[in-house]
Amino acid sequence: MGTGHFFWVIFYFASLCSASLANNAKINFREKEKKVLDQILGAGKYDARIRPSGINGTDGPAIVRINLFVRSIMTISDIKMEYSVQLTFREQWTDERLKFDDIQGRLKYLTLTEANRVWMPDLFFSNEKEGHFHNIIMPNVYIRIFPNGSVLYSIRISLTLACPMNLKLYPLDRQICSLRMASYGWTTNDLVFLWKEGDPVQVVKNLHLPRFTLEKFLTDYCNSKTNTGEYSCLKVDLLFKREFSYYLIQIYIPCCMLVIVSWVSFWLDQGAVPARVSLGVTTLLTMATQTSGINASLPPVSYTKAIDVWTGVCLTFVFGALLEFALVNYASRSGSNKANMHKENMKKKRRDLEQASIDAASDLLDTDSNATFAMKPLVRHPGDPLALEKLRQCEVHMQAPKRPNCCKTWLSKFPTRQCSRSKRIDVISRITFPLVFALFNLVYWSTYLFREEEDE
């Protein structure tokens, strides 16, 4: 009985000792982190001004691997040729001076929030216009030091980057916007940037842009040589496709409607001068305002864009409809004047014919004292209008029949008087303008859509 009691006492004290050791181990674990940091980053032990050695402690360049996570793409500006992006930027390298004992795997890594405590690569974004860090609620940055001396630096930043665009196919275009990262002071003899193996660039799911679609992205290297040496550079190309549905609804369909409305003038009476003039001027001014609004949202470039061809041709059609009425009005007034002159000439000829008939009758009825009639020879005198008319009718009947022509047959439906020329111009315009505009659409869409496929 005494032996059993002694056994339980020993077991109880052993349990207390093990619990005490476990509590001490938990407390000393954080203390160990502090000691490790003081040991590797203490004064006189680590100099952040000296770059790490190369692979396996050699004197080669330090290797820094880059990884990006694109959180959002806010705006893509055509007029400023820039885009804004928010991303998590990560870079990782090995500094053998920062190796430490992980206490049998209990210390997975050490975390710092002060970047100036360790050596940092002098990376900068070469096509950056503006940028800022995020400090709400705390600075969005951390540094992790692993037992083997590997250092991971992560920070969240927002950047506005330059994006030179080629707008020849606007708005049927695709744009490539780059993100370039390079070393500012260290040459490739001391520092080399590499993309992280596997998946160096990640993009947030369900990325939505108002007028673009991110089709794909490509990673590449862009080392640059200057008179001070060669500098390591990385780049990622983002391929954006412009959403055409917005421009179809906002630009192309309204322009087509304005052109078609300008054709209503061809169906109005040629005497309705106020209606036709107001319609032509209104559509012309509306088209000009639409064109200026489109150009206001684009940068002034030296080449012709696809949208310039469209608006220019539509403006030409509207202006042509206005000029067509000016031609119709001129032809109408000219025909009226000629018709009046023709009427006066016909009246004069009719009076001459009546006078000639009276003279001929009086000559035939004239008799001498012997009651004999004075016979006139049946000879055609020059200038006799009756004889000329009969001769003309004979010539018409003697002409050979001609082969019918479709165009002349269609035009023969309208009178051949001078005053009907204006009506002919309207009828021809009703057919010509829509056909030419349909032909332009066929050539325009086939040309630019084909060029878009070639670029793709």
Side-chain angles (χ1 to χ4, degrees), residues 176-197:
I176 298 178
C177 295
S178 299
L179 176 64
R180 295 174 176 266
M181 299 161 287
S183 173
Y184 189 80
W186 299 97
T187 63
T188 52
N189 296 327
D190 298 311
L191 180 63
V192 173
F193 291 120
L194 297 176
W195 286 112
K196 186 178 180 181
E197 297 178 356

Side-chain angles (χ1 to χ4, degrees), residues 315-333:
L315 189 61
T316 303
F317 270 93
V318 175
F319 184 68
L322 185 60
L323 290 183
E324 188 270 350
F325 171 66
L327 182 61
V328 166
N329 194 1
Y330 173 77
S332 177
R333 289 186 288 105

Side-chain angles (χ1 to χ4, degrees), residues 230-401:
E230 182 180 359
Y231 297 90
S232 182
C233 175
L234 301 178
K235 72 172 182 177
V236 53
D237 293 330
L238 304 174
L239 179 59
F240 296 102
K241 180 182 179 182
R242 198 181 299 272
E243 288 291 340
F244 180 69
S245 58
Y246 168 81
Y247 300 93
L248 179 65
I249 297 173
Q250 297 294 328
I251 296 177
Y252 284 91
I253 292 179
C255 288
C256 283
M257 294 174 65
L258 285 174
V259 173
I260 295 173
V261 167
S262 67
W263 298 342
V264 176
S265 174
F266 306 151
W267 299 87
L268 297 179
D269 186 74
Q270 59 186 5
V273 176
R276 298 187 68 163
V277 170
S278 61
L279 180 62
V281 173
T282 302
T283 52
L284 182 62
L285 292 178
T286 306
M287 191 66 216
T289 304
Q290 180 85 347
T291 303
S292 62
I294 296 170
N295 293 329
S297 61
L298 295 173
V301 293
S302 59
Y303 48 82
T304 302
K305 303 180 288 294
I307 195 66
D308 294 335
V309 176
W310 176 264
T311 56
V313 172
C314 290
L315 189 61
T316 303
F317 270 93
V318 175
F319 184 68
L322 185 60
L323 290 183
E324 188 270 350
F325 171 66
L327 182 61
V328 166
N329 194 1
Y330 173 77
S332 177
R333 289 186 288 105
S334 177
S336 299
N337 295 333
K338 291 182 179 180
N340 294 332
M341 293 178 62
H342 182 69
K343 288 181 180 180
E344 293 294 333
N345 293 332
M346 292 298 295
K347 289 181 180 179
K348 184 177 180 181
K349 288 182 180 180
R350 192 177 295 110
R351 287 196 298 267
D352 294 341
L353 288 174
E354 291 177 355
Q355 185 64 32
S357 300
I358 293 173
D359 293 341
S362 60
D363 291 340
L364 290 174
L365 293 176
D366 186 17
T367 57
D368 55 5
S369 58
N370 296 326
T372 58
F373 294 95
M375 303 297 294
K376 299 287 184 181
L378 297 176
V379 180
R380 180 174 63 88
H381 297 283
D384 189 356
L386 291 175
L388 289 175
E389 183 67 23
K390 292 180 180 180
L391 182 62
R392 190 177 294 109
Q393 292 177 1
C394 294
E395 291 177 352
V396 169
H397 288 290
M398 293 176 63
Q399 289 180 354

Side-chain angles (χ1 to χ4, degrees), residues 68-105:
L68 298 177
F69 177 68
V70 179
R71 293 182 173 272
S72 64
I73 299 176
M74 278 76 75
T75 58
I76 302 176
S77 175
D78 296 317
I79 189 169
K80 293 183 179 180
M81 291 195 177
E82 64 183 20
Y83 72 104
S84 299
V85 60
Q86 182 185 128
L87 51 87
T88 298
F89 172 77
R90 306 185 188 98
E91 51 186 354
Q92 191 168 7
W93 66 94
T94 300
D95 193 342
E96 294 185 355
R97 296 172 295 175
L98 299 177
K99 288 184 177 180
F100 62 90
D101 184 13
D102 59 354
I103 314 176
Q104 298 179 355

